[in-house]
């Protein structure tokens, strides 16, 4: 079937409505048009922000099925009424947040409320037209506040559990976790900004490169309302302001995870004379008691459950014992302006306007990397960081608090946050390491201004990023696209020579001797055709004690001869701490690689594959543990091959001329629906390390147009 015909058939189904529907004049779907260009990217042209929000909800539901609506359902606090008792905890949590936030909704600008309310209307209309796609009892009366509620910041359940159980460390299900290489996790991002002095065109360039699981729901889209907004970016599935990065005609921005401590646990003195009171500033203060009732689906009926919660003005009560009342105070408690801030960032026309939006402090976390048409490049270590009146403590320690002077009440000032503007060398960059090494042409100061700023750290991935752009070369936009897909594994540069020496010293024979010769010839990359890379990876994981995708069981001191150090941050870690064990692990890896793949000299791409739909092709790239810049992570398939399940997601490179020029790729496709023509149509391009041209101008969009429709319009018969 012709691809355009296939696409038209697919979209016609979702454009359909009930034939008997009577329309109110000038409904949102009548004020918006969606133009899909190559690979299904939706370009929304709307008359107003309400219609734009409506259209964005519609295309997300078209491409991702129930996911968007179910997220709004969770934000409404009614998840258990549809999905059953297992979701009741989620409803209790969000209902507590909603109670604090809902009275503030009317204080938001009409513009941002229009987006939320339009989005809710789009969800409602899609549900009403396609009820068979949704579970029984799915409501279709969502409000703009329900959509906003999906963004509300909640206290970290994992940190609370860790404190209650006195269990050190953060775990994988904590969304605030940010691990570095070797920890068995590859979540994070890379971001670069190059000044005009470092580009062949004399125009600033921005690179955006997140890497998460391929279920993360990055969604490429373009939203235009004439005279109001013209923004192209990644809108995360489930809402209008899950924007992580993108650009308009004037500027662009990207985020990378940073490491910050945005909460504290305080121990208050229980009042021995009054039940459910605590002593604070010499007064007896009552705890606030909340009784919350949540409905849940119980077979064919609806049941309810009521729970009791306690809180203070500082935050929720998490424990009462030994005369103490423990409360969890966290940044963002009750904050509702995240979408307001993002809308201002998306509409900004200058660095000053963009920074004014950032100064709202409604976005709690992340490094931001920025570039604009005027040639500015900028980096900000962003955090709603508590201004502590006491020394920092770990997550298992409660700080005694007898009064307001003992607790934090405001954030570290915006101007005091680490930031870099137009530095020498013409670049800023971040790959999730600390802010100290954003630009190494400037003096690297590793002493923090505030004690709770992130400590100095520089991963192998970050060191490779510095090597790639930290020189004096000038790059074209196409050079940056190519450089982003660099396959080098920096770990090999640091330890391979020691490994070869250790194996030779052990007087190898047979396959082990042949394998060490292979290692000598290996080019230290994980390109699809590289041989030696699979063997090296198996050796490193055994030597480090990495098991089942988790972090190493051995500390760096038992792995490296030299661990990472602020005294030599660009050349450490390096060498091997235990040559004898390294040689033994290598012999094991030779046999293990043969056992798994039939040969120890198997090519990386024979093992590592992109498999999506009918696509099954080799792919290069590795995890943080090997020091790759092109991050990929894999799960083992039934046939023993390693199938890509995460890593590079939505990748963007944009150059800021009079009209932005950009390339992008969405590794796992625009749609999660297997029947969609957009499910796997970018997979092979991504695996080859290629990207598509972005259509941004009206002329380019019209030229690339595959189909046009009004979302939810009654089809012509």
């Amino acid at each position: 079937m012709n691809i355009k015909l296939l696409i038209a058939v697919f979209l016609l189904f979702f454009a359909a409505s009930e034939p008997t529907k009577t329309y109110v004049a000038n409904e949102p779907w009548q004020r918006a048009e969606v133009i899909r260009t190559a690979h299904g990217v939706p370009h929304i042209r709307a008359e107003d922000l309400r219609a734009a929000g409506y259209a964005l909800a519609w295309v997300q539901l078209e491409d991702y099925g129930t996911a968007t609506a179910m997220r709004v359902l969770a934000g409404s606090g009614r998840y258990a009424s549809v999905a059953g008792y297992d979701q009741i905890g989620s409803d209790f949590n969000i209902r507590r947040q909603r109670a604090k936030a809902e009275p503030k909704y009317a204080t938001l600008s009409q513009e941002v409320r229009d987006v939320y309310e339009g989005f809710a209307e789009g969800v409602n209309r899609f549900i009403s037209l396609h009820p068979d796609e949704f579970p029984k009892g799915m409501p279709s009366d969502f409000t703009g506040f329900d959509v906003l509620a999906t963004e509300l910041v909640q206290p970290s359940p994992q940190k609370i559990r860790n404190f209650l159980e006195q269990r050190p460390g953060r775990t994988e299900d904590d969304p605030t976790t940010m691990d570095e290489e070797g920890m068995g996790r590859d979540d994070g991002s890379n971001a670069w900004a190059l000044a005009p002095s470092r580009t062949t065109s004399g125009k600033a360039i921005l690179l955006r490169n997140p890497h998460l699981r391929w279920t993360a729901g990055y969604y490429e889209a373009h939203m235009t309302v004439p005279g109001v907004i013209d923004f192209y970016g990644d809108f995360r599935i489930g809402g209008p302001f899950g924007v992580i990065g993108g650009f308009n005609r004037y500027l662009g921005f990207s985020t990378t995870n940073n490491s910050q401590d945005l909460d504290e646990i305080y121990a208050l003195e229980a009042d021995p004379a009054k039940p459910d009171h605590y002593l604070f500033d010499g007064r007896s203060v009552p705890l606030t008691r909340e009784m919350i009732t949540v409905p849940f689906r119980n077979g064919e009926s609806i049941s309810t459950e009521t729970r009791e919660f306690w809180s203070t003005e500082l935050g929720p009560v998490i424990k009462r014992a030994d005369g103490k009342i423990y409360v969890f105070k966290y940044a963002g408690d009750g904050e509702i302006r995240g979408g307001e801030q993002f809308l201002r960032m998306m509409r900004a026309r200058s660095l000053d306007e963009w920074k004014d939006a950032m100064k709202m402090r409604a976005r709690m976390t992340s490094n931001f990397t920025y570039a604009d048409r005027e040639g500015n490049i900028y980096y900000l270590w962003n955090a709603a960081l508590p201004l502590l009146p006491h020394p920092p403590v770990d997550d298992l320690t409660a700080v005694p608090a007898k009064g307001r002077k003992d607790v934090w009440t405001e954030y570290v000032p915006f101007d005091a946050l680490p930031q870099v503007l137009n530095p020498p060398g013409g670049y800023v960059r971040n790959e999730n390491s600390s802010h100290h090494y954003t630009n190494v042409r400037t003096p690297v100061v590793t002493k923090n201004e505030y004690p709770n700023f992130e400590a100095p750290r520089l991963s192998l991935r970050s060191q490779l990023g510095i090597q790639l752009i930290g020189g004096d070369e000038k790059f074209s936009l196409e050079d940056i696209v190519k450089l982003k897909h660099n396959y080098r594994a920096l770990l090999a540069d640091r330890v391979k020579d020691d490994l070869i020496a250790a194996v030779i010293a052990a007087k190898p024979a047979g396959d082990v001797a042949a394998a060490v010769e292979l290692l000598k010839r290996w080019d230290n990359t994980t390109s699809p055709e590289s041989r030696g890379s699979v063997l090296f990876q198996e050796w490193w994981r055994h030597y480090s004690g990495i098991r089942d995708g988790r972090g190493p069981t051995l500390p760096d001191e038992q792995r490296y001869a030299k661990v990472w150090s602020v005294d030599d941050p660009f050349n450490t870690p390096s060498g091997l701490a235990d040559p004898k064990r390294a040689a033994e692990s290598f012999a094991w890896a030779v046999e293990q690689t043969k056992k798994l793949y039939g040969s120890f000299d198997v090519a990386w791409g024979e093992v590592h594959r992109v498999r999506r739909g009918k696509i099954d092709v080799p792919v290069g790239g590795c995890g943080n543990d090997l020091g790759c810049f092109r991050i990929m992570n894999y799960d083992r398939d039934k046939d023993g091959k390693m199938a890509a399940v995460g890593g590079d997601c939505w990748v963007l490179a944009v150059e800021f001329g009079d009209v932005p020029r950009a390339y992008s790729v969405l590794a796992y496709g625009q749609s999660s629906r297997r029947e969609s023509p957009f499910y796997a149509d970018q997979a092979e391009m991504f695996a080859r390390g290629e990207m598509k041209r972005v259509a941004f101008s009206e002329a380019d969009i019209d030229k690339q147009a595959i189909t046009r429709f009004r979302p939810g319009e009654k089809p012509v018969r």
Side-chain angles (χ1 to χ4, degrees), residues 128-139:
S128 68
L129 298 186
H130 307 289
D132 292 345
E133 289 200 29
F134 297 91
K136 184 176 181 179
M138 184 70 178

Side-chain angles (χ1 to χ4, degrees), residues 628-688:
C628 276
F629 188 81
R630 178 174 163 93
I631 291 293
M632 295 296 299
N633 50 55
Y634 310 87
D635 282 349
R636 193 174 298 281
D637 265 358
K638 292 179 181 179
D639 64 355
K641 299 294 179 70
M642 304 300 293
V645 295
D648 284 359
C649 294
W650 184 67
V651 186
L652 170 74
V654 55
E655 179 180 80
F656 292 96
D658 291 338
V659 176
R661 190 168 71 92
Y663 293 91
S664 72
V665 67
L666 184 56
Y668 43 82
Q670 193 70 28
S671 176
S672 67
R673 296 180 185 263
R674 290 183 175 272
E675 71 275 16
S676 169
F678 312 128
Y679 175 71
D681 63 331
Q682 297 184 62
E684 193 165 2
M685 173 174 61
F686 167 77
R688 292 194 303 265

Side-chain angles (χ1 to χ4, degrees), residues 48-49 109-115 223-232 235 241 243 246-253 339-355 357 370:
D48 52 69
L49 286 170
S109 71
Q110 186 62 56
E111 290 177 319
V112 77
R113 282 184 284 141
D114 281 346
V115 177
M223 179 186 288
T224 303
V225 176
V228 177
I229 192 170
D230 188 6
F231 184 83
Y232 194 109
F235 297 78
F241 295 115
V243 180
F247 65 96
N248 60 29
R249 288 183 175 272
Y250 305 94
L251 56 85
F253 55 90
E340 187 93 72
Q341 177 174 326
F342 264 129
L343 185 60
R344 287 180 58 182
M345 292 161 64
M346 294 158 69
R347 298 174 62 187
R349 296 189 173 200
S350 68
L351 176 60
D352 286 343
E353 287 186 13
W354 189 84
K355 287 179 69 175
Y370 167 103

Side-chain angles (χ1 to χ4, degrees), residues 453-691:
F453 277 175
E454 185 174 356
R457 60 195 177 101
L458 192 66
S459 70
L460 287 172
R461 172 161 53 94
S462 295
Q463 292 177 49
L464 180 53
I466 292 170
Q467 292 181 21
L468 292 174
I469 66 165
D472 296 313
E473 310 97 310
K474 292 190 175 186
F475 300 105
S476 68
L477 181 61
E478 288 72 20
D479 292 333
I480 292 300
V481 169
K482 183 177 180 180
L483 206 61
K484 183 266 151 297
H485 295 102
N486 183 284
Y487 294 117
R488 190 166 152 210
L490 188 60
L491 177 70
D493 294 358
R494 299 293 174 79
V495 303
K496 191 176 84 170
D497 288 348
D498 276 16
L499 173 59
I500 291 171
V503 175
I504 291 173
K507 298 181 179 179
D511 282 348
V512 176
V516 80
E517 292 301 317
L518 171 68
L519 208 62
K520 291 178 183 178
R521 298 191 299 271
W522 175 44
D523 64 359
N524 293 9
T525 76
T526 57
S527 64
E529 64 276 7
S530 67
R531 295 182 184 274
S533 46
V534 174
L535 174 64
F536 182 81
Q537 178 176 250
E538 291 296 331
W539 162 76
W540 176 250
R541 290 181 174 175
H542 189 267
Y543 173 76
S544 298
I546 297 173
R547 301 288 186 271
D548 301 323
R550 301 294 231 172
T553 56
L554 296 177
D556 282 0
E557 290 78 6
Q558 294 182 34
R559 298 193 294 161
Y560 297 108
K562 294 181 179 179
V563 300
W564 184 80
S565 167
V566 293
D567 297 326
D568 190 12
F570 311 118
N571 300 296
T572 54
S574 64
L576 296 176
D578 192 337
K580 182 176 181 294
R581 183 165 53 80
E584 292 169 350
S585 287
F586 187 77
W588 177 91
V590 171
E591 291 305 311
Q592 179 71 358
T593 307
K594 286 165 55 182
K595 177 182 175 182
L596 291 173
Y597 310 117
S599 172
F600 62 77
D601 67 347
V602 63
W604 184 269
E606 292 178 35
V607 172
H608 297 85
R609 316 289 292 179
V610 167
R611 290 175 163 173
R612 191 167 177 86
K614 296 180 180 179
I615 302 299
D616 184 355
V617 293
V619 66
C622 64
N624 281 313
D625 57 324
L626 297 190
C628 276
F629 188 81
R630 178 174 163 93
I631 291 293
M632 295 296 299
N633 50 55
Y634 310 87
D635 282 349
R636 193 174 298 281
D637 265 358
K638 292 179 181 179
D639 64 355
K641 299 294 179 70
M642 304 300 293
V645 295
D648 284 359
C649 294
W650 184 67
V651 186
L652 170 74
V654 55
E655 179 180 80
F656 292 96
D658 291 338
V659 176
R661 190 168 71 92
Y663 293 91
S664 72
V665 67
L666 184 56
Y668 43 82
Q670 193 70 28
S671 176
S672 67
R673 296 180 185 263
R674 290 183 175 272
E675 71 275 16
S676 169
F678 312 128
Y679 175 71
D681 63 331
Q682 297 184 62
E684 193 165 2
M685 173 174 61
F686 167 77
R688 292 194 303 265
E690 299 173 1
M691 296 164 68

Side-chain angles (χ1 to χ4, degrees), residues 364-377:
M364 299 297 109
T365 66
S366 299
N367 304 287
F368 278 80
T369 301
Y370 167 103
D372 65 27
R373 193 166 73 179
E374 298 301 313
N376 294 303
I377 61 172

